[in-house]
Amino acid sequence: MNIRRSVAALSLCAALGVAAAPGASAEDGPAGRAAGLYGTKDPKFDGVWRQSLALLAQDAVGVTPAKSAIDWLAGQQCADGGFPAYRADTTKACDPKKGEFTDATSAAVQALAALGGRADAVEKGIGWLKRHQNEDGGWGMNPGGPSDANSTSAAIGAFAATGQDPAKGGEGGKDSEDGTDGEGGKGGHGGKSPYDALLGLQLGCAAKADERGAFAYTAAKGEPVANELATASAALAIQGKGFVFETVGKDKGAGPKPLRCEDGDSKDGAGKGGAGTPKEAAEAALAHLSRVMSDTGSHLKSAMPGAKDQPDFGGTADAVVALAAGEHSAAAGKPLQWLQSKDSGAVAWAKGDPGALAKLVLAAHAAGANPRDFGGADLVQQLNATGPKPEAAAPDSGADAEGDSDGKGEEKKSDGGGIGGVWWTVGVCAVASVGIGFLLSGRKRQQL
């Protein structure tokens, strides 16, 4: 496979470099789009989010985004380091209690860290996250809000993208190499780490058998409710990874291990078993996602309250990324194939939408598939077309896997639905995920 820049290494380069001051760009864009912004739809609820994903996806496949696009994102940052969903007038101060969001801040930090050259913005963003971490180790959608799985997962990704141990992300505690302090406590804010917060949201052996390993969105009153979008996000984050990570290459294709529950486990919490570590929690969540998708035609369904019984393309892409991160190529292969199939409608769903296209590109990247031949569609070209013209593309950007490029920047068609020539030929034809863990399909409602 091609050797890619790791996000952590890039963030270190950014920290050593000179941060460029964001400024207005005079570059013209298609009618209806602000200079530098991806997409023409109203950015009120997802401007920063979709911009961040678009930049991450381009960088992951060797495309150098336009400077105006990076300037636009950096220019959205508030004075205290946080990011809003979108602010039309950047000369007006942000509302620190209602106008800044964990998800937007975390996504922007990941994108700016990956691209480099924005050390000040990245540092301020991380500082904002540290200051607004809850006592339970997690983050809410807004500062002071109850911790939820999606926001906590996005924040973990921000720390991972900047080369920091998410378990040591908070300002409290005396951290050691294993995330504990000298007295055996855990690193992080108030002695709690983000992993503690996520573990507290996972349904264990006391839950129904078909919900064990899933994550609830938040610790609401009453019984926790399994949420597949939250599960996909948490499954990636609890592995300590962000939206983009260094792929491992060939794996054994083993399936994820379900939650270990022993006789005597019941709704009153009696008995032994359950996830005792982040690794076990990730495996249990991935096993749950695989089980759910096996019953629904290899995809997730919308977890939005009141939504129709319909596929969740963004959530399925998140699940592919999480499974690929966990080195479960066989389990990831089927949902990836489903996303690539014309019958699924995923490519049509993403057309013209930079956030959705970015999700599919990142899923393909994580799985080792070719986003330039994804069910016959060139997702990279489609993504580039939604924003300002990229500065440049890497010589090998015509493919996302070894053997798909002739070394001159000209892509070659794969012979396996976008997965040919990669390492996933052990019992499967494909593999799989932002982040997002991504959260595009479910985050708009949470920012209302």
Side-chain angles (χ1 to χ4, degrees), residues 1-194:
M1 296 187 68
N2 299 326
I3 299 176
R4 293 179 173 77
R5 298 168 291 172
S6 72
V7 178
L10 283 169
S11 64
L12 178 58
C13 293
L16 295 174
V18 179
S25 170
E27 180 174 347
D28 293 329
R33 183 177 70 219
L37 175 63
Y38 284 82
T40 57
K41 293 183 179 180
D42 187 352
K44 181 177 180 181
F45 299 117
D46 75 338
V48 167
W49 180 262
R50 77 194 194 201
Q51 189 84 350
S52 299
L53 290 189
L55 295 175
L56 277 167
Q58 288 182 317
D59 183 71
V61 296
V63 174
T64 302
K67 181 178 180 297
S68 63
I70 305 171
D71 286 346
W72 185 93
L73 179 60
Q76 288 285 301
Q77 190 171 37
C78 303
D80 64 355
F83 280 79
Y86 169 74
R87 56 175 179 156
D89 186 352
T90 57
T91 65
K92 293 183 178 180
C94 301
D95 182 342
K97 293 184 178 180
K98 298 180 180 179
E100 299 172 24
F101 297 91
T102 298
D103 301 74
T105 302
S106 300
V109 166
Q110 292 188 55
L112 295 174
L115 294 166
R118 305 286 175 153
D120 287 348
V122 170
E123 184 177 356
K124 287 176 64 178
I126 286 292
W128 186 93
L129 290 171
K130 290 181 178 181
R131 292 193 303 276
H132 295 294
Q133 187 176 13
N134 292 333
E135 290 296 326
D136 63 4
W139 284 265
M141 179 181 64
N142 291 109
S147 296
D148 67 74
N150 289 25
S151 297
T152 300
S153 296
I156 287 174
F159 284 102
T162 55
Q164 300 185 45
D165 183 349
K168 304 174 185 178
E171 296 179 315
K174 298 178 181 179
D175 301 323
S176 64
E177 292 184 358
D178 62 359
T180 62
D181 62 23
E183 298 179 356
K186 297 181 179 180
H189 185 72
K192 294 287 187 178
S193 81

